[in-house]
């Protein structure tokens, strides 16, 4: 019997994960191409398509990133599959000793890959605009593509000379973008879908010299869950930018 590719076998056997197959077709990604990107055997990808097998969390999130889709849409039981094995270590992608040590392209790259959510709770607006040179245009484009965009900065005060409206005056009128101020911002929280860059405050250090964590939400999110909850709290209790306080 002649050898046949995993793609052909998938068609012959019927599909157990139609969502994954459809996402691959929409992204023009083949079984072999996806396997090559992940550095695994194409037979593993074929089993994800033709059976109910759920990949390990790292592979599931890597697949979702390639296909630009939520991993929990592809595998709704992903949480259950990894509930007993996920640890905070699995969510920590890297730890940088200071903001300057973060690869410059990582700030822009995480936003560029976002397909559903962008949350920026940032204390230093000048840094943000320097880190992502086309931030304004990117946020508008993301909003138009259906991404929820929220930006929070500290309320104006003696130590806050540049305000949100100084930097992004036109974004206030952009549908789908929420601009707020909040008096309690300390840690910079930078979220794009399941990717987070968190500047952790240290007494006596400026934000520029504080450590930065690169996190990725996995399953029940034992490490990132607190930061995601904090983001929701910030935006729920903030004041719309430009409003009287």
């Amino acid at each position: 019997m002649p050898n046949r590719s995993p793609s052909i076998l998938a068609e012959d056997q019927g599909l157990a994960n139609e969502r994954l197959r459809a996402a691959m077709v929409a992204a023009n990604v083949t079984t072999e191409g996806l396997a090559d990107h992940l550095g695994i055997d194409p037979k593993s990808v074929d089993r994800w398509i033709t059976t109910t097998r759920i990949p390990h969390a790292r592979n599931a999130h890597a697949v979702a990133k390639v296909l630009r889709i939520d991993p929990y849409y592809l595998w709704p039981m992903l949480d259950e599959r990894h509930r007993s094995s996920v640890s905070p270590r699995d969510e920590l992608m890297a730890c940088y000793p200071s903001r300057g040590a973060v690869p410059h392209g990582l700030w822009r790259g995480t936003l560029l890959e976002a397909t559903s959510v962008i949350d920026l709770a940032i204390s230093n607006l000048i840094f943000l605009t320097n880190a992502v040179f086309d931030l304004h245009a990117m946020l508008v484009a993301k909003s138009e593509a259906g991404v929820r965009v929220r930006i929070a900065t500290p309320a104006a005060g003696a130590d806050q000379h540049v305000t949100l409206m100084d930097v992004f005056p036109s974004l206030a009128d952009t549908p789908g973008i929420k601009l707020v101020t909040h008096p309690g911002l300390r840690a910079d929280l930078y979220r794009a879908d399941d990717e987070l860059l968190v500047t952790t405050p240290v007494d006596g250090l400026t934000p520029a010299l504080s450590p930065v964590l690169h996190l990725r939400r996995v399953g029940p999110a034992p490490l990132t869950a607190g930061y995601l909850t904090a983001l929701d709290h910030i935006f729920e209790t903030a004041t719309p930018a430009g409003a009287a306080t």
Side-chain angles (χ1 to χ4, degrees), residues 122-184:
I122 305 295
S123 61
N124 190 320
L125 284 168
I126 299 301
F127 156 72
L128 184 61
T129 55
N130 287 337
V132 185
F133 69 91
D134 59 345
L135 182 62
H136 183 283
M138 184 188 297
L139 293 179
V140 171
K142 289 293 183 180
S143 178
E144 291 175 347
V147 176
R148 186 197 70 188
V149 178
R150 303 186 296 184
I151 307 173
T153 60
D159 58 346
Q160 187 69 17
H161 302 293
V162 179
T163 69
L164 191 60
M165 300 310 294
D166 291 332
V167 178
F168 300 122
S170 64
L171 285 186
D173 299 322
T174 302
I177 297 182
K178 181 177 183 178
L179 305 181
V180 301
T181 61
H182 197 286

Side-chain angles (χ1 to χ4, degrees), residues 59-190:
N59 282 335
H61 283 266
V63 169
K65 190 170 185 178
V66 172
L67 301 181
R68 298 177 181 273
I69 198 167
D70 189 334
Y72 300 98
Y73 172 79
L74 298 176
W75 294 285
M77 298 300 292
L78 188 60
D79 276 357
E80 298 298 325
R81 164 68 170 78
H82 298 285
R83 186 174 298 279
S84 62
S85 61
V86 172
S87 70
R89 184 185 298 272
D90 297 319
E91 297 182 274
L92 181 61
M93 308 305 295
C95 180
Y96 302 98
S98 66
R99 200 161 61 192
V102 179
H104 189 72
L106 185 60
W107 302 103
R108 184 174 186 273
T110 53
L111 294 185
L112 199 60
E113 294 294 326
T115 58
S116 59
V117 176
I118 291 176
D119 284 337
L120 306 176
I122 305 295
S123 61
N124 190 320
L125 284 168
I126 299 301
F127 156 72
L128 184 61
T129 55
N130 287 337
V132 185
F133 69 91
D134 59 345
L135 182 62
H136 183 283
M138 184 188 297
L139 293 179
V140 171
K142 289 293 183 180
S143 178
E144 291 175 347
V147 176
R148 186 197 70 188
V149 178
R150 303 186 296 184
I151 307 173
T153 60
D159 58 346
Q160 187 69 17
H161 302 293
V162 179
T163 69
L164 191 60
M165 300 310 294
D166 291 332
V167 178
F168 300 122
S170 64
L171 285 186
D173 299 322
T174 302
I177 297 182
K178 181 177 183 178
L179 305 181
V180 301
T181 61
H182 197 286
L185 288 186
R186 292 193 66 227
D188 287 347
L189 301 177
Y190 190 100

Side-chain angles (χ1 to χ4, degrees), residues 205-219:
L205 292 181
T206 65
L209 297 178
S210 297
V212 177
L213 305 179
H214 179 194
L215 307 176
R216 178 177 296 158
R217 183 184 70 177
V218 178

